[in-house]
Amino acid sequence: MRILTVGAGAVGGYFGARLARAGADVTFLVRPQRAAALRERGLRVTGLGEEISLAPQLVTADAPIGTYDLLLLSVKSTALEQAVKDLAPAVGPRTAIVPLLNGLAHVDRLAGEFGGAAVLGGVAKVVTTLDGSGDIVRLAPPSVVLTGERDGAPSARVDAVRELLTAAGIDSPPTPDIVAAMWHKWVFITTLAATTCLLRGSVGEVNAVAGGADLARAVLAEAAAVSAAAGHPLPQAEADLTERTVTAEGSPLTPSMYRDVLAGHPTEVEHVLGDLVARARALAVPTPLLDLATLHLRVHQQRATGPRATQ
């Protein structure tokens, strides 16, 4: 199976490195600057006792790339439109696309461009970041990719993808309802991002002050209410896990959106929070805390992308 990993950042680079180390035929579609860095230094993963170092197969959008059997799409939503253009030559009549972005808006965009049959559902559960050298640092234990046909039908191609992932040490359990799983991950990441970005602190810092844990629970309740109204109620086990995660005392956990805010970078506010609160409006679900977090991040976005940011 020929695999194209679109992006070699903290998520795509991590899963692609795992697959390549296991002997899979993996190529990374990257921007020229990232390609130059990877050719010079290699693709490296560290953290939690894991060490991977390899010379990856690379291709850039300005070179002929041919078609692939499987595309793992792991770019941030802010780079989605460019990625759609870049990966288009790699999509053939039998190509399966597994998007690993948060939220759901990207699924409609990909299906509109490449046809609904090409697009599987996908969920990534991994806590990684890029360090100053461009190496991938794994910060927490999860290493999970969920995938499935969006209509829930049994699928030989999904079985083949899951088998490939499992052989590379990536957990990929059967997921009968991948759309529900995407909603539930959306609730998790929205709760974590909204809480830490609003209060400008890690999970542990938020929960070290009076009212911090209560706010996290209230944000979770709003996000879960939107998911339930959309037809995907959060299972109790998922709700309990999310609550434990966002109320853990002393936890250093921060989402990538919060790290982007601290660095003054643009964020995925519209794809993750903006789309969710828009759906909440359509479903008549009140979300005052998520509205506030969205507004807060939109102000940051304006600052990060405005004229002064480019000077």
Side-chain angles (χ1 to χ4, degrees):
M1 182 183 291
R2 297 187 72 220
I3 305 167
L4 184 67
T5 299
V6 185
V11 176
Y14 174 75
F15 289 123
R18 275 284 189 97
L19 288 163
R21 184 180 63 174
D25 181 3
V26 181
T27 299
F28 295 86
L29 174 61
V30 293
R31 310 303 297 166
Q33 185 176 0
R34 180 64 168 156
L38 290 171
R39 289 190 178 106
E40 178 180 346
R41 186 171 175 80
L43 180 59
R44 303 187 184 194
V45 177
T46 64
L48 303 184
E50 185 171 38
E51 297 285 341
I52 300 175
S53 181
L54 53 88
Q57 297 184 77
L58 303 173
V59 66
T60 55
D62 57 356
I65 61 177
T67 59
Y68 286 78
D69 303 303
L70 174 64
L71 269 61
L72 295 178
L73 178 60
S74 60
V75 300
K76 288 192 174 184
S77 62
T78 50
L80 179 61
E81 287 305 313
Q82 185 60 52
V84 167
K85 296 176 183 177
D86 292 347
L87 66 84
V91 179
R94 297 183 180 179
T95 301
I97 303 172
V98 178
L100 300 178
L101 292 76
N102 293 313
L104 285 169
H106 59 278
V107 174
D108 291 338
R109 177 69 182 91
L110 292 167
E113 186 74 24
F114 303 113
V119 185
L120 299 174
V123 171
K125 297 182 180 182
V126 65
V127 185
T128 50
T129 190
L130 293 181
D131 67 13
S133 300
D135 295 344
I136 299 163
V137 182
R138 191 176 176 204
L139 303 173
S143 177
V144 179
V145 172
L146 306 179
T147 189
E149 300 287 351
R150 290 183 291 123
D151 63 1
S155 169
R157 66 176 180 170
V158 168
D159 293 341
V161 171
R162 289 184 48 248
E163 183 178 345
L164 194 70
L165 293 167
T166 301
I170 301 165
D171 293 338
S172 188
T175 308
D177 189 346
I178 189 63
V179 174
M182 293 171 72
W183 266 100
H184 300 158
K185 170 67 184 301
W186 197 5
V187 169
F188 175 88
I189 200 65
T190 296
T191 302
L192 183 59
T195 300
T196 56
C197 290
L198 264 181
L199 298 187
R200 292 297 181 97
S202 67
V203 167
E205 290 170 330
V206 167
N207 287 283
V209 300
D214 290 338
L215 181 134
R217 293 187 184 98
V219 172
L220 170 57
E222 288 187 5
V226 181
S227 186
H232 305 286
L234 197 63
Q236 191 60 50
E238 292 270 2
D240 291 345
L241 174 61
T242 301
E243 181 175 344
R244 287 196 303 271
T245 300
V246 298
T247 60
E249 294 182 5
S251 171
L253 181 62
T254 59
S256 61
M257 190 178 296
Y258 173 72
R259 297 193 293 272
D260 284 339
V261 168
L262 287 189
H265 296 159
T267 73
E268 296 183 287
V269 55
E270 295 304 335
H271 195 83
V272 176
L273 274 76
D275 187 34
L276 189 70
V277 298
R279 293 173 191 249
R281 295 295 158 272
L283 295 165
V285 177
T287 54
L289 291 173
L290 290 173
D291 292 347
L292 179 61
T294 303
L295 182 61
H296 174 72
L297 285 162
R298 281 173 174 161
V299 172
H300 165 82
Q301 192 82 350
Q302 179 174 267
R303 183 183 301 124
T305 59
R308 291 185 179 180
T310 60
Q311 291 177 356

